[in-house]
Every structure is written in C-alpha cells, then in structure tokens.
C-alpha cells in the first residue's frame, strides 16, 4: 500500500493517556491481537461502524507512517480481504500529524483531521 497517512480511533481515556505519556501501547483489542489496529482513510467509516458503534467522544488521530520504522508496520488482510495497516510497536506521539474529534459527514463518511 502507498497510504502514508493512516488513522487510529481512540476513546477519550486512551487519547488522554496517549497525550500525557507520549506513547500508546494499544487498546485492549490491540493488546489481545498483538498489534495496533490502524485504518487508511477510506476504511475509517467502516471501522467506526463495526467496532465503535454508539460510542461518543472518540478521537481520530492521523499517523504519518513515514515517521515510523518501516519494519514495524505491516499491511495485512482483514475485513473483507482489505489490507489494513497494523503497527507492531507502541505508537509514539511524534508520528501523529493531526487529531480531531470523530465527526461524520452527511453521507456517512468521516471528516478526517487535516
């Protein structure tokens, strides 16, 4: 894949801890799976619908993959055979280029942070 900017959806508590410590080891699901789940831009809405339905206060974090060691990022098949970015290391805050609240568009998409 060639997407350089990918996204991590965080709960308010996860984001507060991330901002305070400067690193994210992962959500409980990430820790159980052994990697941090990320989504390319077009995948964010589906990830929200499948894993975060009905949750409020979510934060969308834009991650620049070029700021991470390429050895710890893998694009692997997941939902529907799509390739998703998976991070096999803690996420450092220095790789984050934008953040914003999760906001849906009128057509069901997601406003991605700039």
């Amino acid at each position: 894949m060639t997407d350089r900017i990918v996204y991590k959806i965080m709960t308010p508590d996860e984001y507060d801890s991330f901002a305070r410590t400067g690193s994210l080891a992962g959500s409980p699901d990430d820790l159980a799976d052994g990697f941090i789940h990320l989504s390319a831009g077009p995948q964010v809405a589906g990830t929200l619908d499948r894993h975060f339905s009905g949750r409020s206060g979510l934060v969308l974090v834009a991650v620049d993959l070029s700021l991470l060691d390429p050895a710890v990022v893998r694009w692997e098949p997941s939902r529907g055979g799509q390739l998703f970015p998976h991070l096999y290391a803690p996420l450092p805050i220095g790789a984050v280029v934008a953040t914003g609240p999760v906001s849906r568009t009128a057509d069901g998409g997601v406003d991605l942070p700039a």
Side-chain angles (χ1 to χ4, degrees), residues 6-21:
V6 297
Y7 300 89
K8 175 66 180 163
I9 302 164
M10 295 185 191
T11 66
D13 289 342
E14 288 167 347
Y15 182 75
D16 289 345
S17 176
F18 179 56
R20 189 176 58 258
T21 64

Side-chain angles (χ1 to χ4, degrees), residues 20-37:
R20 189 176 58 258
T21 64
S23 180
L24 176 74
S27 69
D29 288 338
D30 296 333
L31 294 171
D33 291 341
F35 56 85
I36 295 177
H37 293 266

Side-chain angles (χ1 to χ4, degrees), residues 70-112:
V72 299
V73 177
R74 297 183 201 148
W75 289 83
E76 299 175 312
S78 190
R79 188 172 62 238
Q82 295 179 63
L83 295 179
F84 279 77
H86 295 154
L87 177 61
Y88 287 86
L91 174 63
I93 204 159
V96 172
V97 294
T99 61
V102 169
S103 174
R104 299 301 287 255
T105 61
D107 66 356
V110 178
D111 284 323
L112 301 175

Side-chain angles (χ1 to χ4, degrees), residues 58-75:
L58 297 171
V59 178
L60 193 56
V61 176
V63 176
D64 186 335
L65 293 181
S66 73
L67 299 174
L68 297 172
D69 179 349
V72 299
V73 177
R74 297 183 201 148
W75 289 83

